[in-house]
Amino acid sequence: MSTTTSTIFFLLLIFISSISSGSSSSSVPIIGLDTFLSQQSRVDPQATNDSFLSLSSSLKSSLSRSLSSSHSDKIRSLLSLSLPLSLHVCLVGDSFPSSSSSSSLLSSFLSASLSSDNFHVITPFDTLLHRLAVRHSLHLDVSNSPSLASLLSKTLKSEIDRTPSSLRSPLLSVPYSAVDQIIRQDFEKEKPVHGVYLYFLNLGQQSKPYAYTYGHGDSSPAFSRCHGSVWTGKERYIWVDLGAGPVDYGPAISGDGVLPRGEFHPLAALHGRPKSQKALLADLASLVWSAYQVLLVPSLRIPVPFEKSLIVHFIHVFGTENGDPSGLDWKAIERTFMDEVNDNGLLLADQSLRFKTYRVSYAGCPICSFAISRSTNSYTSRFLFDNYTMIVNEYLDSKRLHRILSDSAEEFRRVASIPEEEDGRVLPVYVFDLDVHSILLLDRYHQSVAFKDMVIAVRTKNAQTVSDYSCNGRHVFTQTRDLERPLVGSILQSMWGVSPTHLLWSPRHNTTLVDYTWSIGQTPFGPFSESSSLSFVQKDAARRNVLLTSLNYSISSAIDVLESVAAHGGERKLLKHNQHTEFIQRWNLLKYKLDKAVSALSRLDFEMALYYLRSSDHDLYGIHSLVYNASQELEASLVCFKDPPFPWASVSMSVGIFFVLFYLHAKRDKLFRNKRKQF
Ligand SMILES: *[C@@H]1O[C@H](CO)[C@@H](O)[C@H](O)[C@H]1NC(C)=O
Ligand SMILES: *[C@@H]1O[C@H](CO)[C@@H](O)[C@H](O)[C@H]1NC(C)=O
Ligand SMILES: *[C@@H]1O[C@H](CO)[C@@H](O)[C@H](O)[C@H]1NC(C)=O
Ligand SMILES: *[C@@H]1O[C@H](CO)[C@@H](O)[C@H](O)[C@H]1NC(C)=O
Ligand SMILES: *[C@@H]1O[C@H](CO)[C@@H](O)[C@H](O)[C@H]1NC(C)=O
C-alpha cells in the first residue's frame, strides 16, 4: 500500500470515530497546595523527601474533603490524562487567506482527523501493547505575517538570481540557510514561546523553479545531494516552502513512503493546476496533521526508563591496526551528543552521559569471527546482462548477530578488557570494521541497526553502494564507510527511544507506517539527509520519552493498587477510618501531582514534569503500603475469628503486593530509576 500523508489523512477522515477528549480535571482547587509544592520543588528539587509528611494539617484536611470518587471514576481519571500541545501556524505570503478564515477551516479539517489520541510505542518490550495510557491533543492557532513575507521574497529572489543553473537538475539549488536565518530571527522575536511554530511560506512565482540544499557543494554522478522544501530548527520551529520544488525523495523502486512528483502530495500543494483556497487549506491541514504526528508527538521507538548515568561503550572490532579512521570518528559522534547536552538538550537535570572507546583486534578475537561467520547469509538475484547472470550478495543477519553478541557479552568484555560498570545504563555499540573488499551490510540494507540493548554496525573496505532510494530522480548512493551518521541515529533510538523521522506507529493499521516527508533537512535519520545534528524534534523526544515512560508506569501502578483495593471489597471495607482518610489524602495528592506533571509536559517544561513525577512516587508508595498493611490485618482477622474458605485471591494479591513493597522498600532511595524493572 502506498501510504503518502494525504492518503493517511483521508483514510483517517473516513475512518475516525471521534474520541471524546475527556480531560476531567480534579474537582475543587485546593488553596495553598500549589504554593506549597512549588516551594518544595525549590527546597528539594530531586524530591528525595516525601512532601506528604510536611503538609500542614489544614492542607491535609482540604485534601481529604475533596470529593472521594468511586473506583471506576478513579481509574477513568487516570486513563484520561491528556497532554495539550500547542502548534502555532504562521502563514507567510500574500496569497494565503486571512488568519481568521483559515484558522476556522484548518481547525475544522483537523478536528475531523484527530481530536485526541494516545502516545504510542513502536516496539514495546514484552507485550503487543503499543499504546501508552497518556493522551495528547493538538491546540492550533493561526496567524499571518506580511512583514516576514516581503523580507523573505526579496532574499529568495536575490538567491535565485545569483545561483547558476545546473545541468544535472531542473531545480535551482538555493541554500536553506538564506531563508532559515530570517525565519530564525522572527522566531527569536516571538520568545518566550510555549509550543512549536510552523511557518508555511508562499512567496509567489519565481523566475525559475528552485529547491533547497542542505550541504555544501553540488551533486555529482556518484553523490546525490537531495533537494527539499522543509527545515526543522534546533529550536522549536519548522518551515515549509510551498513554492519550492516539487521535490521527490523516497524508495526508488517500490515501497511505502515515496513522495511522488506532481500535485498529489500536500508538499506540492501550489504546483500543478490552480486550486481553490479550500483545497489549499485541506492540503495545509494534511501537512499540519503530519507534522504534529511525526514531529510533535512522535511514537516512542522503545520505552525508556529513567537512569541517572548513561554510558556508551564503543567497541571497535578492527581488521587492520591502523586502518583508515575516516568515517569512524568517535570524537565526532561524541561531540554531536555532548553539544546538545551542554546546551541543555537531550538530558534531564541530574542525568549524565559518558562515552568510552575500546578496541579489539578481529584476528585476536575468536568470538568476533564466530559471530560474523554464523550470521553471514547470502542473497541471490538474477540480472540480465548478455545472458541471465546470478549475482550473490552476502549480508549479515542482524538478529542472529544480536543473539550471539548478547550471549557472549562476558567473553567480549574479557577480550576487549571492558571493566564492569557499577551503575547506570550501558549501551554497547559494536562496530565491525572488517578487512574484506566485498559489500557487507546488515539485513542487506543497513550500515547500523539499533536494538533495545545494543547497537551493531559494520563496514568493509568497500566504499559505496547504490541504495534502494532515489531523490531528484536519481538513485541515492550509500557511502558505506561513513558510519558516524548511522551511529548517531542508532544511539538515539537505543538510548533515548527516539524514533526515526520516517517511522510512526499507527494503531488503526496495527503496524508501523513509513513516510519520508520530514526525513530531509536537519534529521540524523534516513538516507536523504546528510546532517547528523539534532533538531528540536529529537532533543524533545529524548526527554519526553523518559517522562512518558515513567508517567505510564505510575498510572499502571496506581491502577494495580486500585484493583487490589477492589479485590478486597472496596476501600471502605478494607481501610479503617484513619487509614481511609490517609488513603483519600494520598490519592488526591497523587492525582494532583500527576496533573501537574502532565501540564508541565504540555508546556514542554521537562524538569518540572520530572519533579512532580518523582514527588508523586512517594504518594504511590504510601498508597501501596497502606493497602498492603490493611490487607494483612484483614486477612489476619479472617483467619482468627471466622472459618472462611482460604482466601486464595486476596492472599496471592497480598503476596504480590508484598513483593512489590519489599522491592520498593529495599530500593527506596533509588525508587525512581528502578522503574525499569517494569520491562
Ligand atoms: C529531607 O528530610 C531530612 C530529614 O527530615 C532532612 O534532614 C533533609 O535535609 C531533607 N532533604 C531535603 C533535600 O530537603
Ligand atoms: C554469460 O555472460 C558472461 C559475460 O557477459 C560470460 O562470462 C558467461 O560465460 C556467460 N554465461 C553463459 C552461461 O553463457
Ligand atoms: C496486531 O498485529 C499482531 C501481529 O502482527 C496481532 O497479534 C494482533 O492481534 C493485532 N492486533 C489487533 C488489534 O489487530
Ligand atoms: C502503559 O500503561 C498501560 C496501562 O496501565 C499498560 O497496560 C501498558 O503496558 C504500559 N506500557 C508500558 C510500555 O509501560
Ligand atoms: C505498615 O506497617 C508497617 C509495620 O507495621 C509500618 O512500619 C508502616 O508504617 C505501615 N505503613 C503505613 C502506611 O501505615
Side-chain angles (χ1 to χ4, degrees):
M1 190 177 63
S2 149
T3 46
T4 64
T5 337
S6 49
T7 49
I8 304 170
F9 180 71
F10 284 111
L11 274 178
L12 267 166
L13 277 177
I14 297 162
F15 280 124
I16 192 124
S17 57
S18 71
I19 314 153
S20 66
S21 60
S23 67
S24 66
S25 52
S26 59
S27 43
V28 227
I30 294 159
I31 319 287
L33 190 52
D34 231 359
T35 327
F36 169 75
L37 285 176
S38 48
Q39 187 222 334
Q40 285 282 308
S41 76
R42 276 190 300 274
V43 194
D44 184 11
Q46 313 226 5
T48 40
N49 284 346
D50 185 356
S51 55
F52 185 79
L53 304 178
S54 40
L55 272 179
S56 67
S57 55
S58 69
L59 274 179
K60 272 193 185 168
S61 62
S62 28
L63 274 173
S64 53
R65 262 202 309 278
S66 241
L67 251 68
S68 109
S69 45
S70 72
H71 170 73
S72 56
D73 279 348
K74 284 203 180 80
I75 291 190
R76 207 171 310 121
S77 77
L78 282 175
L79 291 180
S80 65
L81 286 175
S82 175
L83 218 149
L85 286 162
S86 84
L87 179 65
H88 186 97
V89 173
C90 195
L91 301 174
V92 184
D94 309 326
S95 49
F96 283 120
S98 73
S99 62
S100 52
S101 62
S102 47
S103 175
S104 60
L105 256 177
L106 268 184
S107 307
S108 72
F109 279 128
L110 284 165
S111 61
S113 73
L114 97 173
S115 45
S116 167
D117 197 1
N118 292 68
F119 281 96
H120 288 100
V121 186
I122 294 180
T123 320
F125 284 169
D126 289 329
T127 50
L128 284 172
L129 215 63
H130 296 270
R131 166 190 297 234
L132 293 183
V134 192
R135 312 171 72 88
H136 56 76
S137 60
L138 168 62
H139 283 239
L140 190 70
D141 74 305
V142 183
S143 68
N144 290 79
S145 181
S147 62
L148 191 56
S150 64
L151 186 54
L152 281 172
S153 299
K154 229 183 297 158
T155 312
L156 184 63
K157 189 164 176 330
S158 78
E159 282 294 332
I160 288 178
D161 291 344
R162 233 177 43 183
T163 314
S165 314
S166 153
L167 292 176
R168 304 196 57 83
S169 164
L171 296 170
L172 275 191
S173 304
V174 175
Y176 84 94
S177 49
V179 165
D180 184 54
Q181 222 173 5
I182 296 169
I183 295 181
R184 196 176 57 225
Q185 276 164 11
D186 182 79
F187 175 78
E188 297 282 344
K189 273 192 301 210
E190 301 292 334
K191 276 181 172 176
V193 292
H194 298 297
V196 175
Y197 269 58
L198 171 54
Y199 293 87
F200 283 118
L201 317 184
N202 176 7
L203 305 174
Q205 189 72 38
Q206 302 296 326
S207 56
K208 291 178 205 141
Y210 66 98
Y212 296 95
T213 53
Y214 303 102
H216 300 286
D218 214 347
S219 290
S220 66
F223 192 84
S224 41
R225 203 171 274 293
C226 299
H227 283 130
S229 55
V230 305
W231 179 258
T232 40
K234 276 232 168 285
E235 302 208 47
R236 297 190 179 107
Y237 69 90
I238 308 155
W239 55 261
V240 178
D241 186 349
L242 295 166
V247 291
D248 69 304
Y249 43 92
I253 304 156
S254 66
D256 282 344
V258 71
L259 283 194
R261 246 172 210 287
E263 60 197 273
F264 298 112
H265 193 279
L267 275 181
L270 292 181
H271 298 277
R273 272 174 293 130
K275 283 198 171 94
S276 69
Q277 298 242 304
K278 202 163 177 179
L280 175 62
L281 282 173
D283 275 334
L284 292 191
S286 163
L287 281 175
V288 169
W289 179 82
S290 154
Y292 175 68
Q293 294 285 317
V294 175
L295 308 176
L296 266 68
V297 291
S299 312
L300 283 69
R301 187 72 180 78
I302 50 173
V304 263
F306 180 89
E307 284 283 359
K308 253 205 166 107
S309 133
L310 306 176
I311 305 158
V312 177
H313 282 175
F314 291 121
I315 300 163
H316 184 190
V317 181
F318 61 91
T320 13
E321 179 66 56
N322 292 313
D324 178 14
S326 70
L328 201 50
D329 182 348
W330 307 116
K331 285 285 164 224
I333 300 174
E334 182 173 341
R335 222 177 305 122
T336 305
F337 291 103
M338 291 318 285
D339 284 353
E340 300 305 341
V341 170
N342 296 334
D343 204 22
N344 298 325
L346 234 46
L347 299 185
L348 290 161
D350 47 348
Q351 281 186 310
S352 70
L353 175 66
R354 279 178 296 152
F355 291 82
K356 293 183 181 172
T357 316
Y358 300 94
R359 290 168 58 80
V360 189
S361 152
Y362 186 70
C365 169
I367 186 70
C368 306
S369 39
F370 171 75
I372 293 293
S373 64
R374 273 295 280 130
S375 4
T376 306
N377 262 341
S378 58
Y379 176 79
T380 312
S381 38
R382 289 179 83 178
F383 282 94
L384 180 63
F385 294 121
D386 294 352
N387 47 32
Y388 272 110
T389 314
M390 299 281 249
I391 304 225
V392 180
N393 282 317
E394 294 205 311
Y395 69 91
L396 293 173
D397 180 338
S398 71
K399 291 213 166 62
R400 196 176 289 167
L401 198 50
H402 173 238
R403 177 69 193 277
I404 297 171
L405 292 176
S406 312
D407 289 351
S408 39
E410 279 306 314
E411 176 69 9
F412 251 99
R413 185 166 293 148
R414 202 181 52 73
V415 292
S417 24
I418 304 172
E420 194 79 57
E421 298 280 350
E422 299 107 55
D423 225 12
R425 176 144 182 241
V426 178
L427 178 70
V429 177
Y430 294 97
V431 179
F432 291 91
D433 194 357
L434 302 177
D435 227 354
V436 296
H437 288 272
S438 57
I439 302 173
L440 196 62
L441 291 172
L442 292 157
D443 303 331
R444 290 177 56 205
Y445 300 114
H446 309 294
Q447 295 169 274
S448 157
V449 171
F451 291 90
K452 68 174 196 283
D453 54 354
M454 70 172 71
V455 170
I456 304 176
V458 63
R459 68 173 192 175
T460 62
K461 296 250 171 252
N462 180 284
Q464 69 165 220
T465 177
V466 180
S467 74
D468 276 9
Y469 299 95
S470 72
C471 70
N472 314 340
R474 291 202 167 70
H475 278 282
V476 174
F477 287 87
T478 310
Q479 307 299 318
T480 43
R481 284 188 64 79
D482 289 350
L483 285 182
E484 286 141 15
R485 191 168 170 272
L487 282 174
V488 167
S490 298
I491 293 172
L492 275 172
Q493 293 183 58
S494 299
M495 191 64 111
W496 288 282
V498 177
S499 291
T501 329
H502 55 277
L503 296 184
L504 181 70
W505 177 261
S506 163
R508 290 168 196 97
H509 300 77
N510 191 19
T511 185
T512 313
L513 298 183
V514 181
D515 178 350
Y516 287 99
T517 303
W518 306 103
S519 294
I520 197 143
Q522 183 159 239
T523 169
F525 297 105
F528 309 112
S529 152
E530 297 148 50
S531 139
S532 36
S533 65
L534 317 185
S535 72
F536 79 92
V537 178
Q538 287 86 37
K539 294 193 287 183
D540 283 353
R543 287 174 291 171
R544 186 170 44 227
N545 290 352
V546 174
L547 296 168
L548 285 176
T549 306
S550 289
L551 183 56
N552 196 67
Y553 175 83
S554 300
I555 295 173
S556 301
S557 174
I559 290 177
D560 283 350
V561 75
L562 288 180
E563 297 295 355
S564 110
V565 169
H568 282 92
E571 45 192 75
R572 284 185 195 287
K573 185 154 172 234
L574 176 66
L575 299 163
K576 288 204 289 279
H577 178 70
N578 58 343
Q579 287 176 326
H580 190 221
T581 314
E582 189 181 336
F583 177 81
I584 291 178
Q585 290 167 342
R586 282 280 193 189
W587 177 264
N588 286 330
L589 191 57
L590 170 71
K591 186 65 194 4
Y592 188 83
K593 287 177 182 170
L594 292 183
D595 283 336
K596 291 295 270 186
V598 165
S599 91
L601 263 176
S602 117
R603 292 193 314 273
L604 304 168
D605 183 351
F606 300 120
E607 299 303 337
M608 209 30 119
L610 178 66
Y611 169 76
Y612 279 112
L613 280 176
R614 282 178 162 170
S615 176
S616 73
D617 275 347
H618 293 288
D619 302 298
L620 200 53
Y621 175 79
I623 293 173
H624 267 291
S625 137
L626 265 174
V627 168
Y628 172 71
N629 282 7
S631 66
Q632 287 298 300
E633 285 163 26
L634 187 70
E635 270 139 34
S637 67
L638 286 179
V639 172
C640 296
F641 303 116
K642 286 185 207 152
D643 203 10
F646 192 67
W648 282 112
S650 57
V651 168
S652 54
M653 189 76 75
S654 326
V655 170
I657 295 176
F658 175 76
F659 279 113
V660 170
L661 273 183
F662 179 75
Y663 177 76
L664 288 176
H665 197 82
K667 306 241 167 155
R668 232 152 107 185
D669 49 334
K670 295 181 178 175
L671 187 63
F672 202 83
R673 46 163 286 238
N674 275 302
K675 285 184 169 183
R676 81 188 134 124
K677 280 289 158 192
Q678 147 98 327
F679 314 111

